[in-house]
Each structure stands twice: as structure tokens, then as C-alpha cells.
Amino acid sequence: MCSLFQKNKAYTRMFIEMKKKYIKYGKLSGKIFLENLSEAECSALSAVLGRSLLPGDFSISVSQLQAALNETKYCGVELEALVEKYFNEKILSNSQKRDERTELNKRFWDAVLHEAGSRFGKDAKGILWLNEMREQRKYGYQRIIREREKSRDGIKEVLMEVCNALAYLQQREGDRKENVRLAVLGAEITKNPHYFDRQNAAGRLLISALSFTYKIEEPKAQEGVLALYYMAGIAPDDISSYTTCYGIHFYEGDSEHEAYQYFIRKGEKYVLTLSNLSRLARADSSRKTVFIIENQMVFSQVCEEMRGEEYSIVCTSGQLRTASLFLIDLLLKSGCKLYYCGDIDPEGIEIADRVIARGSGQIFPWRMTREDYYRSISKDILAEKRLKRLGKIGNVQLRELAKLLKAEKKAGYQEQLIDLMVEDIKAVK
């Protein structure tokens, strides 16, 4: 029907402009503009319009172009149909594309939820996650959209396996004696031990699903992911996460672990990985009081001052590693009181708040008062971006400290409080 137009490249720009207009507005109307017509384009368009054209800018209304077309052998052919024939494709407007995507999206989610519901039950954690993801467009929604472009059936199967993993973990909750390794979870669910590795879509979506299940923001950093796995009963890489101790007693069953007992007798610090901790039944303090220090250098100095005396001290080394969280939980179960001291800066207060919230009534801020702040205050000016982190502090004492920090806009550091920290520890009977 339009081989004449297709063979003559002088018509190309006119058809491209008509296509753009239809895609944008869903119809051909208004005017078509062509800048700097060439001699060839003038000749080609003149044949259609029945009048001479000169090189330069050119515009014509769609109605004029349709009328001119009706004077040729294409009489009765609509411009929209001619454009589709020219490009050999069904041209959809932006609005039509959106409607089509919406319909495809609805059919996809309906199919996913129907299959998941029939396999796992309407109240399964996986179903709750899928519904939340669909309605709120979070907890992995965008990743699914991207993966769906590659393979609709492929991502649908991934979602079923993630739901399967959630059901498996839920089943283990009641009688869980130890965490299941991530590779074992993959092999158990799919026969592929690497299926839920973080670099795979299934691994990332499992993290999204667990984040929804435990009502936390989806973690991006390694330690946040490890902490999430720990909450869910999954054992990932368990040697890169560690914590450092002094004077903490560890038990295998009813017997004290000889290796750590030896460190205590020698007055030495010792490092435990998450792997070490996962094999221990209990952690305790002879005085039922444990001091937790964020800063490694401060921890080392305090331990030197304590050498030969049995006090219990833990170092978290900045951001909370999963091993530190694991140890804190063990100490809480033993009825210990924990005192946490961090730098008085936005990050330090934020971490302290998280630690204290973990053990209601058993964990307390330590050396993080107004007086301690002014003793440790530095000349470092805090950026507003960092100060914004202080907007959601839960602990009352730390919230007051956060207000002070916002007013002064300067950080306080633990190094200035070492002597006072040593006095506090030695005062414990």
C-alpha cells in the first residue's frame, strides 16, 4: 500500500514526525513541522501536496495532509493506517502503552498470587509479602519488574521458591536448635546451594521478603543483611562477622569452654566469630555486669588498665556486627546488665539506641550524658546531613543528648573519657 513512500527516503522525516505525534497524543492532529527541507524532500512532498515547495522550514496541518492524500491514489486511506503500514507495526500511544502495561501487570500478579495461594495457603508469609509488595510497590517490587522483562515465567518461579523458603523457615521456628546455612537452604528448596546467593535475583528477593517479615528497612550493607539472616534463622558466611571480648565466660552445655577460660586467667582479650558463637550454649559475666565499648582503641586501653582483674568488657568495633548482636542476646539470656558507651556523634548515638532497644530494662547508656558530652566535645563541626540521623532516637536519655548535639553541632569522642570509664568498671562489685 505504501511501497512508494517506503522506497523514497525523502519521506522518512515526515513519517517519523507523524509517528511521534501519534505516540504522544494518541491521534494525528495539529501541525507537523519539518526543519530545513532538502531539495529531495521538497520534490517528494510536492508530489503528494500538488504544489511546489522550496527548501527551508516547512509546516502543514494534519487535516491538510489528509486532504492532499485523498487527492492521490491513496484516497480514503487514513493517515494513522498509512503510518502503521509504513513502519510495519502496530503503533501505540503512550497512554495505550500505559494501559497495556497496567493490564499485563495485573494479569501477572493475579497469576502469581493464585499459584502462591494454592501452594502455600492464603495466610502464608509469602502471600502476605506478595500482597504488600504489589500494593505498596516496595520490598522487591522494582527488581521483579526488571526481572520480568527478561523472563515472566522465570521470575514467577523465583517468587514461588522465595515463598517456599519463607514457609520452610517458619516451619523451623518452633523447634529451631541452630540456624540453617544459606547454602543448605538453597539446596533444600531448589537442589541448588547457590540459589539464594545475594548476587542472584532469588537472593535479593529473599532479603526483601525477610525485611517485610521482620518489619525493617531493607538492608544494603553486609552487616545489616547478616543481622537479618540471623533474625530469620539463617547462617550465612559466619567468620567475617566477629566481636572482641575480655572476661566473658562461655559455656558448651553445662561446662565452661576451656579456651576462653584460659584467656580470662591470662587477662587477655579474645576474638570470637559468629561461627564460634553459634556453637556456644551460654555467655555470662562473673559480676553479672558487662560494659560494651564501641571504639577498638578505647577498648584496648581499658583492657590494659583492667589487666589481672576479672571484669567483663565487649568491643563492637563501630557498626554492630551480627556476632556482637548474637553475644548481646546470650548475655541478656543469662540475666546480665549491659552498659553501652559509644562516641557522642550521630552515628554513635544511633547505634547506642539500637543496642539499648534490644534489651528493654537490661541495657543502659554509659558515659553518654550531658556532662560526658562536654567533657569529650571536639572541634569537629558536624554536617547537617549527619545530624538528620538523630530524628528517630527512641531512648529518652539519648534523645536529650541528640538535642544537645544538634544545638552544638560538634562531636564528642570516647578517648576523652577513658579514665572515667575505668573508674566505672572498677567500681562494680
Side-chain angles (χ1 to χ4, degrees):
M1 172 172 125
C2 62
S3 58
L4 170 68
F5 296 113
Q6 290 170 328
K7 290 176 181 178
N8 190 342
K9 292 184 178 180
Y11 290 111
T12 301
R13 280 210 298 159
M14 182 181 72
F15 277 92
I16 288 174
E17 289 303 312
M18 285 194 289
K19 181 180 180 181
K20 286 180 182 177
K21 185 174 282 291
Y22 186 82
I23 289 173
K24 186 173 182 180
Y25 299 110
K27 62 180 180 178
L28 282 175
S29 62
K31 288 190 173 183
I32 295 169
F33 297 91
L34 297 175
E35 293 183 346
N36 298 317
L37 286 184
S38 65
E39 291 282 358
E41 287 174 323
C42 287
S43 176
L45 289 171
S46 294
V48 175
L49 299 175
R51 59 186 174 89
S52 297
L53 298 176
L54 297 174
D57 294 345
F58 168 76
S59 69
I60 187 172
S61 69
V62 169
S63 59
Q64 288 176 320
L65 186 57
Q66 181 69 67
L69 189 67
N70 289 336
E71 296 298 321
T72 68
K73 63 178 181 178
Y74 298 108
C75 180
V77 175
E78 295 294 328
L79 280 175
E80 287 92 340
L82 187 62
V83 172
E84 288 186 341
K85 281 293 183 180
Y86 180 87
F87 289 102
N88 289 319
E89 63 178 278
K90 175 67 176 174
I91 300 174
L92 297 176
S93 68
N94 290 332
S95 176
Q96 289 171 319
K97 288 178 182 178
R98 282 194 297 271
D99 291 343
E100 186 177 77
R101 284 195 299 268
T102 299
E103 180 58 28
L104 288 172
N105 194 47
K106 181 181 182 303
R107 288 206 297 266
F108 170 79
W109 284 105
D110 286 347
V112 165
L113 286 164
H114 176 76
E115 182 172 341
S118 62
R119 287 176 61 174
F120 306 107
K122 64 178 182 178
D123 296 323
K125 287 184 177 180
I127 297 295
L128 299 178
W129 167 56
L130 291 171
N131 273 310
E132 180 76 6
M133 183 166 39
R134 180 186 190 179
E135 292 172 11
Q136 302 300 324
R137 300 196 171 192
K138 56 189 297 189
Y139 295 116
Y141 182 87
Q142 294 303 327
R143 180 171 296 277
I144 288 171
I145 298 302
R146 291 194 298 271
E147 294 295 329
R148 199 175 67 192
E149 293 299 316
K150 303 175 189 176
S151 171
R152 293 177 64 85
D153 292 336
I155 190 57
K156 183 179 174 183
E157 183 57 32
V158 166
L159 289 172
M160 293 305 108
E161 299 297 14
V162 172
C163 289
N164 200 1
L166 291 177
Y168 177 85
L169 292 169
Q170 184 176 14
Q171 188 177 20
R172 286 172 52 89
E173 278 181 357
D175 55 354
R176 187 169 82 203
K177 294 181 179 178
E178 61 180 25
N179 291 352
V180 60
R181 293 189 180 277
L182 189 64
V184 173
L185 177 67
E188 186 73 26
I189 300 299
T190 72
K191 311 302 180 188
N192 177 1
H194 299 292
Y195 192 81
F196 293 114
D197 286 356
R198 282 180 66 191
Q199 64 267 30
N200 298 333
R204 293 304 310 168
L205 287 170
L206 177 61
I207 292 169
S208 298
L210 293 174
S211 299
F212 163 74
T213 299
Y214 292 96
K215 307 304 179 192
I216 64 171
E217 287 295 320
E218 190 167 338
K220 295 180 174 58
Q222 172 76 357
E223 277 301 325
V225 173
L226 292 178
L228 179 60
Y229 284 156
Y230 171 54
M231 281 189 280
I234 299 172
D237 161 26
D238 53 9
I239 62 171
S240 63
S241 183
Y242 63 89
T243 193
T244 312
C245 301
Y246 177 93
I248 304 289
H249 295 266
F250 292 98
Y251 296 83
E252 298 175 294
D254 296 327
S255 303
E256 186 167 0
H257 197 292
E258 293 180 2
Y260 307 115
Q261 191 177 40
Y262 178 78
F263 277 111
I264 293 172
R265 286 202 307 268
K266 297 291 287 183
E268 296 286 349
K269 307 181 288 289
Y270 43 97
V271 175
L272 290 92
T273 66
L274 186 57
S275 178
N276 300 139
L277 285 163
S278 65
R279 292 176 172 82
L280 298 170
R282 189 161 64 90
D284 209 345
S285 163
S286 59
R287 300 172 192 261
K288 289 293 183 182
T289 302
V290 180
F291 294 90
I292 304 174
I293 298 172
E294 173 196 339
N295 185 291
Q296 293 165 302
M297 190 284 291
V298 174
F299 169 80
S300 296
Q301 183 61 38
V302 169
C303 288
E304 286 300 314
E305 298 282 345
M306 295 294 116
R307 199 173 182 86
E309 300 184 61
E310 192 176 324
Y311 294 95
S312 300
I313 314 169
V314 173
C315 180
T316 60
S317 303
Q319 289 291 338
L320 289 172
R321 292 183 168 91
T322 311
S324 296
L325 296 174
F326 196 114
L327 175 56
I328 287 170
D329 288 349
L330 287 177
L331 292 167
L332 291 173
K333 286 178 183 177
S334 294
C336 295
K337 285 187 177 181
L338 279 57
Y339 294 87
Y340 181 88
C341 180
D343 283 330
I344 303 178
D345 62 7
E347 294 77 13
I349 293 175
E350 192 177 44
I351 294 170
D353 194 52
R354 286 171 54 201
V355 173
I356 292 162
R358 199 170 186 88
S360 178
Q362 279 183 259
I363 309 179
F364 309 91
W366 169 44
R367 286 294 159 194
M368 299 187 77
T369 65
R370 178 187 183 90
E371 292 75 17
D372 295 315
Y373 174 58
Y374 283 113
R375 289 186 187 108
S376 64
I377 197 168
S378 70
K379 295 180 180 179
D380 293 348
I381 302 297
L382 296 167
E384 286 297 326
K385 184 178 180 180
R386 292 178 66 191
L387 289 169
K388 286 181 180 179
R389 301 173 70 108
L390 297 169
K392 297 182 180 179
I393 302 302
N395 179 266
V396 175
Q397 180 179 323
L398 294 179
R399 202 156 55 227
E400 291 303 311
L401 193 59
K403 289 179 183 177
L404 193 59
L405 204 67
K406 288 178 182 178
E408 296 287 352
K409 301 186 187 303
K410 292 180 181 178
Y413 295 112
Q414 287 179 292
E415 285 82 353
Q416 304 300 318
L417 302 171
I418 291 176
D419 291 344
L420 292 170
M421 294 165 74
V422 170
E423 288 180 16
D424 291 342
I425 295 171
K426 287 185 174 182
V428 175
K429 302 300 183 184

